[in-house]
Amino acid sequence: MRTPLTSRPPYRRRLLTAALATVALLATAGVSACGGSADAGGETAKLRIGYQRFGGLSLVKARGATPGVEWSLFESGPALTEALKAGSIDIGQVGEAPPVFAAAGKIPFSIIGTSVPIPQGEAVLVKADRGYRSFADLKGKTVALNKGSNVHWLLVRLLEANRMTLKDIEVKYLKPAEGRPAFDSGQIDAWVIWDPYFALAEQPGVQVLADATGLASNREYVLAAPDAVDKRSGEIRTFLQRYREVTDWGIAHPEDRTRTLAPELKIPEDVTSRALTRSARPLAPVTPAIGDELQAITDSFIALGLIPGPVDIRSRVDGRFSEVFQ
């Protein structure tokens, strides 16, 4: 009669347990060697890219130029920097104010790339029948914008240029999806907005009261999580190289760029073309001068009480990838 397993001698049970443990260990090692774990090549091995619908990264995504990355869409720069804070993306692209607000909020990130200035890509829109001739005419009026976005800096500069303060207008903070219906329905007097929302709103009866020319650079900035910069610099450099190549291709082939990007943006080709003509610009390396420019923006926001200080944003500039943008 066969002896039940439970009645086997202790030493035999120990041998069986050891054998099973060895098999389990070998199986685990095999899975790890094949990249079965998240750390060894699973989903976490993908570079996670945060983009906005019209930023330069949109064209990279639309062309499928960087297979193997994970894309996340954000409506605005502040939402994207919150994703950096949460650790859900490795790289993202924003305007010039979001890094300032993010740094003030102690969000960890490095600034690894930028663009040449794009001042025509953001503007103050009003209804033509209101009779406003200059920004100064908005004194006492309601002005809407997305808090902490690139246009927040444009508003500050417009107030300075017209010897006004935030107390001279009624500021209403609205996301782009909220700003357009408020503007169309006359609930606000002016909307400070960027492309492509700017181009979409350029309908008959809409007047461009001012853009950022002579006031703000309106650069794009490439931000990266510090851990990604330190541990995956080779992958980031490869991604940035493709980003640079696609950007240069788009500038050299504007009609092809429009046809490629319009479906990604889900807007008509004529609107896409108008926005791209004024807002698509070459990438550029970050330099100490870029750090100084961002620090000046930061100091102005602190002086106005819009963010707590002090904030050293110069230290966030990381030029290790600058050769890619030369």
Side-chain angles (χ1 to χ4, degrees):
M1 181 175 178
R2 184 173 295 175
T3 304
L5 180 63
T6 53
S7 65
R8 289 175 181 170
Y11 78 91
R12 293 186 64 187
R13 290 202 300 271
R14 287 197 297 271
L15 286 173
L16 178 61
T17 300
L20 290 172
T22 300
V23 170
L25 181 61
L26 289 172
T28 301
V31 168
S32 297
C34 293
S37 70
D39 289 338
E43 289 185 5
T44 53
K46 293 182 178 180
L47 273 181
R48 301 165 301 167
I49 312 299
Y51 75 108
Q52 297 182 61
R53 197 172 293 281
F54 188 69
L57 290 176
S58 288
L59 186 60
V60 179
K61 179 179 181 295
R63 294 201 77 200
T66 54
V69 305
E70 181 180 296
W71 294 94
S72 296
L73 175 64
F74 297 91
E75 183 184 25
S76 65
L80 190 150
T81 59
E82 283 299 312
L84 277 172
K85 180 180 180 180
S88 58
I89 60 172
D90 300 308
I91 298 173
Q93 183 186 48
V94 298
E96 57 197 351
V100 171
F101 279 77
K106 312 299 183 185
I107 296 175
F109 65 89
S110 298
I111 304 167
I112 62 173
T114 186
S115 72
V116 301
I118 316 169
Q120 298 85 7
E122 57 181 356
V124 181
L125 304 182
V126 297
K127 295 293 183 63
D129 60 8
R130 296 289 183 93
Y132 302 130
R133 296 183 178 276
S134 71
F135 186 82
D137 293 335
L138 294 176
K139 190 170 184 177
K141 305 301 181 180
T142 302
V143 179
L145 69 148
N146 192 88
K147 185 177 182 179
S149 65
N150 56 334
V151 293
H152 209 151
W153 177 234
L154 173 57
L155 175 66
V156 169
R157 294 291 290 127
L158 281 164
L159 290 169
E160 291 175 353
N162 288 275
R163 298 182 181 180
M164 297 165 64
T165 71
L166 287 168
K167 295 179 180 179
D168 290 318
I169 59 174
E170 181 183 346
V171 178
K172 194 166 187 178
Y173 293 124
L174 298 175
K175 296 177 181 178
E178 302 165 330
R180 176 66 186 274
F183 179 69
D184 288 346
S185 64
Q187 297 176 46
I188 57 177
D189 296 291
W191 188 27
V192 195
I193 192 60
W194 64 90
D195 275 322
Y197 307 106
F198 171 13
L200 282 164
E202 287 183 286
Q203 303 292 329
V206 173
Q207 174 187 349
V208 177
L209 194 63
D211 64 22
T213 301
L215 296 170
S217 294
N218 190 35
R219 297 179 190 272
E220 292 184 343
Y221 287 94
V222 183
L223 311 184
D227 281 352
V229 171
D230 291 337
K231 298 175 183 178
R232 308 181 70 177
S233 60
E235 295 168 76
I236 291 175
R237 183 172 283 102
T238 298
F239 176 82
L240 294 177
Q241 183 62 48
R242 293 297 296 135
Y243 178 19
R244 162 73 186 275
E245 290 168 359
V246 170
T247 300
D248 291 348
W249 170 87
I251 292 170
H253 303 84
E255 293 181 0
D256 291 336
R257 177 183 62 191
T258 294
R259 284 192 292 269
T260 300
L261 198 51
E264 176 71 29
L265 301 177
K266 297 180 173 61
I267 60 178
E269 285 193 9
D270 62 325
V271 177
T272 302
S273 178
R274 181 166 67 250
L276 287 170
T277 297
R278 64 185 169 220
S279 293
R281 295 290 181 269
L283 296 170
V286 289
T287 63
I290 294 295
D292 292 342
E293 186 174 316
L294 279 170
Q295 191 64 54
I297 296 171
T298 303
D299 294 343
S300 291
F301 278 123
I302 293 170
L304 290 169
L306 294 171
I307 60 172
V311 176
D312 176 17
I313 202 165
R314 285 190 185 94
S315 64
R316 305 294 189 107
V317 172
D318 187 332
R320 76 181 74 182
F321 304 104
S322 289
E323 78 281 357
V324 174
F325 302 121
Q326 298 287 353

